[in-house]
């Protein structure tokens, strides 16, 4: 296993610095000596003679995963873990502090909410979502509201007219930035899965901001590496029970693929509109509540203790308030319907993660009414997840 320093990595005195991703580690003198030998291209066989092999392999693999080193015969993008490819953004959601994802995943013992944008747009062959759509939402969110923090780094809370009370008090909310985009579709989906798996095992409650709806498949696949059973609440104008037309997950087929997973306990679809293939909705694992009918249905079947993932496609909203989507469907939800959904399906549910997908800034006109609706919805979803705080 011959290795070398990765591009954009500098060894300066006792510090190893990755100038592209902003990561750094402080090294002992022994580690500096080892990395000097790596720089000189000393072979792995020679290094084994100077250092205990098991310790040497562990150190090298750790530095490879963080992107400081790369294997001689492999490009960096195949060996670096996606946790270390999440780039910080200058703007943050609702003005919250920047977070260090690598540190918080491994070290933080505090429960926290974290925003991670994933501008994946290869799940649709027609209406591809611009890569900067999540950035538009991130930027617009500070016009909606800017969080304030006390001296302990906890949110002060804010008055919410929809709930008629102070909400969001004493929370840790961070923005971890954006997952780096690659043009290798399979690699990108695998990165999303590996990132989600790490996040699922941490104390972070993630809000993944897409990107198209195909990201939900690798996210949940990553979560299934940690959880034995998961139930899914899908809020969407479309059922997404189609087929993989070109042999890889797409935004219109991800749910059909997920329902084949044994660990998926049940899927609840809300807001579905338009014609449906009657065979698609025949499954003991699927409950479909069309349009606004969720208000008239008892939901005792939902286990409030079971880990629940919410995937929210913004085309569930009526095009009059969210025109910025690729596949608008008339007679959608208005904001009051969305608030009813939070009250009935989000409050007191064991939510382990949320994604908000399919906002397309290219179709959002004028004063960005779509961005306004979606960012308000993100904030209200956050309030619904944390409950009475």
């Amino acid at each position: 296993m011959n290795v070398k320093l990765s591009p954009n990595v500098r060894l300066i005195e006792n510090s190893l610095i990755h100038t592209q991703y902003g990561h750094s580690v402080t090294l002992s003198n022994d580690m500096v000596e080892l990395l000097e030998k790596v720089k000189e291209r000393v072979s792995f066989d020679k290094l084994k003679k100077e250092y205990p092999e098991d310790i040497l392999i562990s150190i090298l693999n750790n530095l490879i995963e963080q992107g400081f080193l790369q294997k001689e015969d492999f490009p960096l993008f195949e060996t670096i873990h996606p946790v270390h490819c999440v780039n910080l953004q200058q703007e943050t959601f609702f003005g919250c502090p920047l977070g260090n994802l690598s540190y918080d995943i491994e070290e933080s013992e505090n429960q926290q909410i974290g925003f991670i944008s994933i501008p994946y747009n290869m799940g649709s062959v027609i209406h591809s979502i611009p890569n900067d759509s999540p950035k538009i939402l991130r930027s617009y969110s500070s016009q909606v509201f800017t969080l304030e923090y006390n001296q302990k780094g906890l949110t002060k809370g804010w008055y919410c007219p929809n709930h008629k009370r102070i909400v969001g008090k004493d929370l840790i909310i961070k923005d971890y930035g954006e997952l780096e985009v690659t043009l290798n579709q399979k690699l990108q989906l695998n990165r999303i899965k590996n990132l989600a798996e790490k996040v699922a095992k941490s104390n972070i409650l993630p809000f993944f901001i897409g990107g198209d709806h195909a990201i939900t498949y690798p996210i949940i696949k990553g979560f299934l590496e940690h959880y034995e059973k998961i139930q899914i609440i899908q809020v969407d104008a479309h059922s997404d029970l189609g087929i993989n037309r070109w042999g890889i997950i797409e935004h219109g087929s991800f749910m059909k693929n997920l329902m084949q997973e044994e660990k998926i306990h049940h899927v609840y679809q809300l807001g579905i509109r338009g014609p449906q293939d009657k065979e698609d909705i025949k499954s003991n694992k699927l409950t479909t509540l069309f349009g606004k009918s969720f208000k008239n249905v008892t939901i005792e079947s939902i286990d409030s203790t079971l880990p629940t993932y919410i995937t929210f496609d913004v085309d569930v909203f009526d095009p009059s308030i969210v025109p910025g989507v690729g596949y608008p469907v008339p007679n959608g939800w208005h904001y009051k319907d969305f608030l009813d959904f939070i009250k009935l399906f989000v409050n007191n549910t064991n939510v382990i993660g949320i994604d908000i997908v399919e906002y397309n800034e290219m179709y959002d006109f004028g004063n960005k009414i779509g961005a306004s609706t979606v960012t308000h919805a993100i904030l209200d979803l956050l309030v619904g997840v944390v409950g009475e705080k």
Side-chain angles (χ1 to χ4, degrees), residues 18-42:
H18 203 305
T19 59
Q20 180 177 356
Y21 297 115
H23 309 317
S24 64
V25 291
T26 302
L27 307 171
S28 67
N29 291 334
D30 290 338
M31 277 294 298
V32 171
E33 180 183 331
L34 169 62
L35 290 176
E36 289 289 356
K37 293 175 181 176
V38 169
K39 284 179 64 178
E40 295 169 5
R41 301 294 182 90
V42 175

Side-chain angles (χ1 to χ4, degrees), residues 115-131:
F115 294 105
I116 302 173
S117 56
I118 304 177
Y120 178 85
N121 66 354
M122 292 182 278
S124 172
V125 294
I126 301 176
H127 298 288
S128 183
I129 295 173
N131 283 340

Side-chain angles (χ1 to χ4, degrees), residues 341-358:
F341 154 72
I342 291 178
K343 182 178 179 180
L344 293 172
F345 283 83
V346 180
N347 293 347
N348 304 314
T349 301
N350 180 19
V351 178
I352 56 173
I354 294 178
D355 65 54
I356 298 94
V357 296
E358 293 287 344

Side-chain angles (χ1 to χ4, degrees), residues 212-315:
D212 69 44
H213 217 155
I215 70 170
T216 304
Y217 179 80
I219 289 173
I220 292 181
K221 287 283 284 184
F223 272 61
L224 291 177
E225 296 294 326
H226 178 61
Y227 292 97
E228 286 302 315
K229 288 287 182 183
I230 288 179
Q231 62 187 357
I232 300 172
I233 297 176
Q234 177 190 358
V235 182
D236 204 325
H238 310 91
S239 64
D240 298 329
L241 295 171
I243 60 173
N244 300 335
R245 291 171 293 180
W246 59 92
I248 199 165
I249 296 296
E250 55 183 291
H251 73 157
S253 68
F254 79 92
M255 187 53 72
K256 188 165 190 173
N257 286 269
L258 280 175
M259 287 180 58
Q260 298 171 15
E261 296 290 329
E262 188 176 334
K263 288 185 177 181
I264 299 298
H265 175 72
H266 203 83
V267 176
Y268 299 89
Q269 294 186 323
L270 284 68
I272 308 299
R273 313 192 292 280
Q276 304 291 313
D277 186 329
K278 64 180 181 180
E279 296 301 320
D280 284 343
I281 58 176
K282 288 183 178 179
S283 171
N284 294 331
K285 294 174 71 171
L286 179 66
T287 298
T288 303
L289 303 176
F290 295 98
K292 305 173 186 180
S293 64
F294 70 92
K295 301 180 186 183
N296 306 318
V297 177
T298 58
I299 54 172
E300 287 82 0
S301 60
I302 293 184
D303 186 344
S304 61
T305 65
L306 196 66
T308 304
Y309 187 90
I310 297 175
T311 176
F312 193 95
D313 187 328
V314 301
D315 68 15

Side-chain angles (χ1 to χ4, degrees), residues 355-379:
D355 65 54
I356 298 94
V357 296
E358 293 287 344
Y359 170 73
N360 191 325
E361 60 93 9
M362 186 167 59
Y363 300 134
D364 199 6
F365 54 80
N367 60 353
K368 298 294 183 187
I369 179 63
S372 175
T373 302
V374 172
T375 48
H376 275 92
I378 293 171
L379 194 61

Side-chain angles (χ1 to χ4, degrees), residues 99-205:
N100 184 327
L101 185 60
S102 302
Y103 176 84
D104 284 349
I105 279 178
E106 301 293 342
E107 304 294 338
S108 180
E109 297 179 356
N110 299 314
Q111 295 291 328
Q112 51 205 301
I113 292 169
F115 294 105
I116 302 173
S117 56
I118 304 177
Y120 178 85
N121 66 354
M122 292 182 278
S124 172
V125 294
I126 301 176
H127 298 288
S128 183
I129 295 173
N131 283 340
D132 59 354
S133 287
K135 292 180 182 178
I136 297 296
L137 295 177
R138 184 178 265 111
S139 177
Y140 198 94
S141 68
S142 294
Q143 298 181 45
V144 171
F145 184 68
T146 300
L147 295 166
E148 293 185 8
Y149 290 78
N150 60 28
Q151 293 180 342
K152 296 181 179 179
L154 305 176
T155 53
K156 290 183 177 181
W158 61 94
Y159 180 77
C160 179
N162 294 325
H163 294 79
K164 298 181 175 58
R165 59 181 175 85
I166 300 294
V167 298
K169 191 174 181 182
D170 295 331
L171 302 175
I172 301 174
I173 304 175
K174 297 179 182 180
D175 191 329
Y176 291 110
E178 187 164 278
L179 180 63
E180 183 183 56
V181 175
T182 76
L183 296 179
N184 184 322
Q185 192 172 8
K186 289 185 178 180
L187 171 66
Q188 189 74 0
L189 290 171
N190 195 48
R191 275 187 170 183
I192 297 169
K193 174 184 176 294
N194 291 338
L195 172 65
E197 180 181 352
K198 280 274 192 178
V199 171
K201 295 176 181 177
S202 73
N203 288 318
I204 299 170
L205 174 64

